[in-house]
């Protein structure tokens, strides 16, 4: 009798182990999820969602909730259309704002001021052209006579033709890790982390740093949320509390009637703001903390100030590098936010690292300043750099 019970127990354990193994094999990888997400997105003809946005800028925190409708092939020549209604906003003047574009004309209504900004796609193109003139001469290395042969060579180059190829191209610029399955406002979703490969990133992006995280609905891998963390200029998250696709939205949703008494302003009459300044700064004159301990081969390339954040950019051998950034504190990072808590000179800090420990982001607040160290450094190197700041 005992032998029979033992045999049954062993059979049950074997069956349970096999079930777990089969379940593990059936679970999609990060690459599988991204491929399905692209396939789902490519099949969308219209969509409706309620989206909550939270962002942390160097000098302020902003948040809001909006209801969004969008549709392909809604305009007179097949152009897309969109309608956005702001349901709530941290800035009172933004509450109730409505943006509508029918594929040709757009309207932006601010109910607080009762003004409507309007224009056409052509108006916006002319405004963009005027804006680019502010940067004239800064991109001379890209200016040359049009070469038909160069264009044809580009046209004949290998471009992603399938979702699998598009994801493969993405993986040239990011490492992707599947964190697990979580809920986004009650909706089951896969959580994926995108870790930029610094050697593949433009200098501007490498200087500001950061990690990108995404959540994709388990039902069809439709994107539900995206979050940027650890960027020295902006951090934020956008998440959908509901998402409906291919429901057959009527074109009447994308019409707009000018409210009574509203002031109408054409986009062609707007004055463009000056371009944001990116200035070289002297670390000593700016009173910045400077590390005395650096990884072997590290060299300071430059120190610049962008929107109130000072960024020291260091190069490392083999085209790698890291940055030390200092700016106004944000509340995006907390010790329990998906990162390891470490201590830097008696202050709690949050540390993120990839699976190989070759790329790290470390941040903390000291004496009213938030400091970020991120790039091609190990956790140990990041901590050593942080503890040597003076």
């Amino acid at each position: 009798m005992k032998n029979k019970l033992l045999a049954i127990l062993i059979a049950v354990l074997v069956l349970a182990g096999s079930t777990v193994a089969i379940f593990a094999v059936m679970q999609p990888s990060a690459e599988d999820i991204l491929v399905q997400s692209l396939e789902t997105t490519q099949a969308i003809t219209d969509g409706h969602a309620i989206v909550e946005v939270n962002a942390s800028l160097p000098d302020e925190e902003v948040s809001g909730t909006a209801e969004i409708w969008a549709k392909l092939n809604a305009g007179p020549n097949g152009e897309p259309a969109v309608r956005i209604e702001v349901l709530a906003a941290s800035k009172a003047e933004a509450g109730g704002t409505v943006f509508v574009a029918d594929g040709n004309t757009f309207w932006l209504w601010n109910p607080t001021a009762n003004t409507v900004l309007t224009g056409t796609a052509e108006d916006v193109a002319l405004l963009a052209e005027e804006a680019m003139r502010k940067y004239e001469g800064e991109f001379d290395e890209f200016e040359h006579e049009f070469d038909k042969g160069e264009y044809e060579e580009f046209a004949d180059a290998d471009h992603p033709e399938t979702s699998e190829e598009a994801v493969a191209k993405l993986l040239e610029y990011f490492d992707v890790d599947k964190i697990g399955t979580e809920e986004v406002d009650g909706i089951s979703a896969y959580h994926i982390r995108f870790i930029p490969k610094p050697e593949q990133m433009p200098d501007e992006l490498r200087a500001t740093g950061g990690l990108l995280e995404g959540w994709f609905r388990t039902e069809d891998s439709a994107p539900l949320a995206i979050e940027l963390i650890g960027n020295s200029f902006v951090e934020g998250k956008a998440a959908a509390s509901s998402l409906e696709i291919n429901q057959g939205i009527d074109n009447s949703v994308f019409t707009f009637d000018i409210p009574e008494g509203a002031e109408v302003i054409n986009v062609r009459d707007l004055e463009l703001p000056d371009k944001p300044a990116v200035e070289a700064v002297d670390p000593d004159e700016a009173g910045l903390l400077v590390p005395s301990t650096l990884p072997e081969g590290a060299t300071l390339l430059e120190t610049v100030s962008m929107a109130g954040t000072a960024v020291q950019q260091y190069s490392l051998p083999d085209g790698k590098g890291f940055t030390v950034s200092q700016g106004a504190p944000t509340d995006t990072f907390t010790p329990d936010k998906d990162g390891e808590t470490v201590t830097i000179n008696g202050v709690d800090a949050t540390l993120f690292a990839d699976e190989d420990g070759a790329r790290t982001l470390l941040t903390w607040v000291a004496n009213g300043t938030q400091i970020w160290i991120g790039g091609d450094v190990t956790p140990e190197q990041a901590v050593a750099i942080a503890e040597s700041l003076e």
Side-chain angles (χ1 to χ4, degrees), residues 184-207:
V184 176
D185 287 313
I187 304 173
S188 177
Y190 298 118
H191 180 187
I192 294 179
R193 176 171 295 158
F194 300 80
I195 305 172
K197 297 180 178 180
E199 66 275 11
Q200 297 287 76
M201 296 291 112
D203 289 342
E204 294 80 2
L205 293 180
R206 290 184 61 177

Side-chain angles (χ1 to χ4, degrees), residues 8-71:
I8 292 174
L9 179 60
I10 292 175
V12 169
L13 291 174
V14 170
L15 179 60
S18 300
T19 302
V20 170
I22 292 172
F23 179 77
V25 171
M26 292 176 61
Q27 288 296 298
S29 65
E31 292 85 348
D32 295 333
I33 294 166
L34 293 177
V35 168
Q36 187 183 12
S37 180
L38 284 176
E39 293 174 347
T40 295
T41 303
Q42 291 165 358
I44 293 176
T45 57
D46 62 64
H48 170 242
I50 296 178
V51 178
E52 182 177 350
V53 177
N54 294 278
S56 176
L57 303 173
D59 55 354
E60 64 178 335
E61 305 283 331
V62 296
S63 63
T65 303
E67 188 167 9
I68 303 172
W69 297 260
K71 184 176 183 179

Side-chain angles (χ1 to χ4, degrees), residues 176-370:
V176 295
D177 291 331
K178 180 182 175 184
I179 307 303
T181 302
E182 302 172 5
E183 285 197 354
V184 176
D185 287 313
I187 304 173
S188 177
Y190 298 118
H191 180 187
I192 294 179
R193 176 171 295 158
F194 300 80
I195 305 172
K197 297 180 178 180
E199 66 275 11
Q200 297 287 76
M201 296 291 112
D203 289 342
E204 294 80 2
L205 293 180
R206 290 184 61 177
T208 56
L211 304 174
L212 195 63
E213 309 214 347
W215 287 261
F216 302 83
R217 189 163 60 185
T218 55
E219 174 188 341
D220 54 7
S221 293
L224 285 177
I226 187 169
E227 182 175 19
L228 176 62
I229 59 176
N231 185 279
S232 58
F233 177 68
V234 60
E235 298 165 352
K237 182 175 183 178
S241 59
S242 68
L243 176 63
E244 301 170 319
I245 58 178
N246 300 338
Q247 299 296 304
I249 300 175
D250 192 89
N251 282 1
S252 61
V253 171
F254 309 105
T255 59
F256 183 79
D257 296 323
I258 303 295
E260 183 178 353
E263 178 187 3
V264 179
I265 305 169
N266 194 286
V267 68
R268 289 172 296 184
D269 300 325
L270 292 178
E271 291 188 9
L272 293 170
D274 294 332
K275 65 180 181 180
V278 178
E279 302 176 346
V281 298
D282 183 293
D284 292 331
E285 292 181 0
L288 299 179
L289 298 174
V290 177
S292 58
T293 297
L294 294 171
E296 184 176 355
T299 302
L300 178 63
L301 296 178
E302 61 178 351
T303 302
V304 298
S305 176
M306 296 183 290
T309 297
V311 180
Q312 302 170 59
Q313 184 175 358
Y314 291 84
S315 68
L316 291 169
D318 300 324
K320 298 182 179 181
F322 68 95
T323 59
V324 178
S325 305
Q326 302 168 55
T330 73
D331 60 5
T332 301
F333 287 96
T334 56
D336 60 351
K337 183 180 172 60
D338 198 25
E340 178 186 355
T341 299
V342 297
T343 302
I344 303 299
N345 297 326
V347 177
D348 282 347
T350 305
L351 185 146
F352 300 84
D354 64 6
E355 290 185 348
D356 298 329
R359 300 187 182 96
T360 301
L361 173 66
L362 175 65
T363 185
W364 72 102
V365 176
N367 299 320
T369 298
Q370 183 147 12

